[in-house]
Amino acid sequence: MKRLLLLPLFLFAFSFCSDSNAQNWTQFRGSNLNGISTDQNPPLFWTPDSNLVWKTEIPGEGWSSPVVFDRQIWLTSSKNEGRELFAVCIEKNTGKILNNILLFKPDSVFGKHAVNSYATPSPCIDENYVYANFGQYGTACLDTRTAGIVWKREDLFCDHVQGPGSSPIIYKNMLILHYEGVDTLFIIALDKFTGKTIWKTERPAELYDHLEGIGKKAYITPVVIQVNGRDLLISNGSAVCIAYDVQTGKEVWRIVQGEDSTISMPVYADGIVFFYTGFVSPPEGEKYCELFAVNPVGEGDITGTNIIWRVKSPILQLLSPLVHNGLVYTIDSNGTLFCLDANTGEIYYQEKLKGKYNASPVLAGSYIFFPSTSGKTLVIREGKVLNIVSDNKLDGQIWASPALIDNRILIRTSRFLYMIGN
């Protein structure tokens, strides 16, 4: 670990002028990691040239989602085929790039999947610091008041095979990182102020040793939930979903299923954990995964007791579900939109869509936004009957999940960051 002194570069004037009514979007899928905003009047219609507050070209390439605190927007980017990794800061009101900070220059760059980037994990942010993670290439903490690097870690090694994908999350004084590759599989909690390790927990070897190397990898972002007054870290890997005591990293319960990649992150709502499993290979027929709804109260192996309902789904599920008002909304890897009852798994509707929807949806007011790789964002009204409101096109592809702030929507495409507003 490299410890660097705070760099007294310069102060952002706006850092000390906090918007009293500002809303923040501090992590991947929002401050609560569920894709849900408190906004009630989001924009529903736009084009590349209309209903825009601003549009800013982002240097380099990256699929990380933007995070927001007060008047700062942060995301990550890469150049030179991953040999230069950056944190980028944009001013919220104007779209002006304030900083493009080179964080890492790896000595060696490894391969990635064609649909991945070298800057896919989304940053996370709090009042004074922003955290950027690039998987095996390094993790850094920056002071948002000075743009100075506070600390770096470049000693967390993992062969991701297809590039990094898991986003860091903040929990109290911790920065929690998920590493599951073909060679090493662990969850680690760092002191967010110093970068030092608080705890590190290996995935259970007995559940992974029999898998093919390529099957051990996972790219999920974990969540923290509270169950009977106890905070649990929920992390669904390729072979097992495990609940850890977030204070210690000790396992509390597990649900075993899967033999290959998981990408979609778990979601928690109304006392139920929802997650996609790893691949299942039946003796006959095609591989599949499943969407599980799980009662998180219990200890030990709860595979046989706590699964409330399960629905089969195609493999290679990237998109994470959105759960609101007792309904689950998801698009599977074949492009079929589903609305299910959160308590029973009953399917209220399913609709085959055109295109690929790999970015996770977000919700504001009564509207759900599903971005597609074609650059379109499908907007539907929530409810048990499908009600398509609009399908809005922007320039470029969309792989990053949107951020919702101040009744506006931030969408990152392969070239630009758009602030869309009424």
Side-chain angles (χ1 to χ4, degrees):
M1 180 180 67
K2 297 181 179 179
R3 293 291 308 279
L4 303 180
L5 296 176
L6 287 171
L7 302 178
L9 303 178
F10 61 92
L11 298 179
F12 299 155
F14 62 87
S15 295
F16 301 99
C17 303
S18 173
D19 293 338
S20 58
N21 296 318
Q23 294 176 317
N24 300 316
W25 190 267
T26 58
Q27 307 191 88
F28 175 60
R29 303 202 76 200
S31 300
N32 295 317
L33 297 167
N34 60 8
I36 296 173
S37 168
T38 58
D39 287 353
Q40 295 301 309
N41 188 34
L44 304 177
F45 304 92
W46 60 84
T47 72
D49 302 308
S50 67
N51 215 16
L52 303 183
V53 179
W54 48 257
K55 164 183 160 182
T56 298
E57 187 167 7
I58 303 299
E61 179 188 69
W63 304 147
S64 63
S65 300
V67 294
V68 186
F69 201 98
D70 285 350
R71 290 160 69 177
Q72 294 187 19
I73 301 168
W74 288 84
L75 44 75
T76 58
S77 186
S78 67
K79 291 183 180 179
N80 194 18
E81 297 182 342
R83 292 176 177 83
E84 296 176 310
L85 302 170
F86 296 83
V88 184
C89 180
I90 299 107
E91 209 280 329
K92 186 179 75 173
N93 294 333
T94 65
K96 177 183 177 182
I97 293 179
L98 299 169
N99 283 282
N100 188 21
I101 303 164
L102 178 61
L103 295 177
F104 300 103
K105 295 182 70 174
D107 294 331
S108 299
V109 177
F110 303 94
K112 63 175 182 62
H113 197 283
V115 303
N116 203 2
S117 77
Y118 288 103
T120 292
S122 300
C124 52
I125 190 170
D126 59 21
E127 185 176 8
N128 297 318
Y129 302 100
V130 64
Y131 304 88
N133 173 262
F134 299 91
Q136 68 194 78
Y137 303 113
T139 302
C141 169
L142 296 95
D143 190 318
T144 57
R145 297 158 295 185
T146 66
I149 298 172
V150 181
W151 55 260
K152 288 185 179 182
R153 290 287 297 261
E154 297 176 82
D155 61 328
L156 302 175
F157 303 114
C158 176
D159 184 356
H160 303 291
V161 183
Q162 296 171 338
S166 303
S167 297
I169 65 170
I170 297 170
Y171 171 79
K172 295 184 177 179
N173 67 319
M174 299 179 189
L175 183 73
I176 298 174
L177 307 173
H178 177 278
Y179 286 81
E180 279 195 86
V182 299
D183 57 341
T184 185
L185 307 98
F186 62 90
I187 316 292
I188 189 168
L190 308 180
D191 185 307
K192 71 177 186 178
F193 300 109
T194 67
K196 292 182 178 179
T197 299
I198 296 175
W199 56 258
K200 179 181 178 184
T201 299
E202 305 286 341
R203 287 291 204 184
E206 70 273 14
L207 300 180
Y208 285 84
D209 284 348
H210 70 284
L211 300 181
E212 296 290 335
I214 196 69
K216 298 177 181 180
K217 65 190 186 308
Y219 304 98
I220 72 98
T221 299
V223 298
V224 177
I225 69 173
Q226 189 172 89
V227 178
N228 294 334
R230 185 183 192 182
D231 289 348
L232 301 180
L233 178 75
I234 310 297
S235 179
N236 56 311
S238 61
V240 62
C241 179
I242 297 179
Y244 300 95
D245 184 318
V246 72
Q247 300 289 352
T248 64
K250 292 183 178 179
E251 181 178 323
V252 176
W253 56 253
R254 66 173 62 174
I255 290 183
V256 181
Q257 178 163 300
E259 58 189 41
D260 206 333
S261 301
T262 40
I263 303 164
S264 170
M265 71 183 289
V267 181
Y268 180 66
D270 300 324
I272 301 175
V273 173
F274 304 86
F275 66 91
Y276 280 95
T277 70
F279 300 5
V280 176
S281 296
E284 297 180 358
E286 295 184 0
K287 293 182 179 182
Y288 63 89
C289 69
E290 290 189 273
L291 176 59
F292 279 179
V294 170
N295 174 4
V297 178
E299 294 186 2
D301 190 332
I302 61 173
T303 309
T305 58
N306 285 45
I307 298 174
I308 301 169
W309 54 260
R310 57 207 298 169
V311 173
K312 283 188 177 181
S313 183
I315 62 173
L316 299 173
Q317 179 69 29
L318 274 72
L319 177 153
S320 302
L322 189 140
V323 186
H324 192 245
N325 287 338
L327 299 176
V328 179
Y329 303 89
T330 188
I331 300 178
D332 69 23
S333 57
N334 285 342
T336 301
L337 168 65
F338 287 88
C339 173
L340 306 96
D341 188 290
N343 293 306
T344 66
E346 177 186 355
I347 298 174
Y348 289 116
Y349 65 76
Q350 59 187 83
E351 181 77 13
K352 185 70 171 69
L353 305 174
K354 295 180 180 179
K356 285 284 187 181
Y357 291 79
N358 292 340
S360 295
V362 294
L363 177 146
S366 298
Y367 301 96
I368 305 169
F369 301 82
F370 288 94
S372 75
T373 57
S374 68
K376 291 183 177 182
T377 298
L378 177 71
V379 183
I380 67 171
R381 191 178 183 95
E382 65 175 329
K384 297 178 181 179
V385 177
L386 177 59
N387 183 349
I388 296 177
V389 176
S390 61
D391 201 10
N392 306 292
K393 182 75 169 70
L394 293 174
D395 293 327
Q397 297 179 310
I398 303 176
W399 297 86
S401 290
L404 294 161
I405 49 167
D406 304 331
N407 287 307
R408 294 173 173 177
I409 184 167
L410 277 168
I411 297 180
R412 181 184 191 174
T413 69
S414 47
R415 286 191 59 197
F416 299 100
L417 180 65
Y418 292 85
M419 174 73 86
I420 300 163
N422 293 315

